[in-house]
Amino acid sequence: GSIEYVHLSCLRLWIRGRMNLLDTSVSVGSYVYRALPCELCKAIYPTYVTVESERMLLVDVPRTKPPFIVLENMVRDSPQRTSRSLH
């Protein structure tokens, strides 16, 4: 099948799950921030979307309060492709 349209709230929920941000009732101790591709076409989702001429973040990432550390993971899948993520 083909998916041309998706509910914005459904896409946000899916992305939050992939970033480990689903449980908003507790303080976030850890999450993964990386460019997330569509599972079908592999296109990277944009940071911002426009809804009714209003520009907004696709996913609201929580602000981490100091002190904290950022770990960067870099994986070379092939000589031409490197993937990065922040933890």
Side-chain angles (χ1 to χ4, degrees):
S2 135
I3 300 173
E4 185 175 353
Y5 300 101
V6 64
H7 296 111
L8 183 56
S9 60
C10 294
L11 179 59
R12 285 177 166 162
L13 181 64
W14 179 82
I15 291 173
R16 289 181 64 79
R18 298 291 303 258
M19 294 175 71
N20 196 31
L21 292 172
L22 282 180
D23 191 0
T24 57
S25 63
V26 295
S27 176
V28 177
S30 173
Y31 61 91
V32 179
Y33 184 79
R34 65 175 180 257
L36 291 175
C38 171
E39 291 182 340
L40 298 175
C41 71
K42 308 303 181 211
I44 301 296
Y45 288 108
T47 303
Y48 292 90
V49 293
T50 303
V51 178
E52 297 177 3
S53 68
E54 181 184 347
R55 187 173 186 244
M56 60 182 71
L57 285 168
L58 180 57
V59 176
D60 194 19
V61 178
R63 301 273 180 185
T64 305
K65 296 178 184 172
F68 61 87
I69 61 171
V70 176
L71 303 173
E72 183 174 12
N73 183 28
M74 296 184 73
V75 177
R76 184 168 299 273
D77 300 334
S78 68
Q80 298 83 19
R81 185 168 173 247
T82 300
S83 61
R84 297 174 59 178
S85 60
L86 299 177
H87 300 269

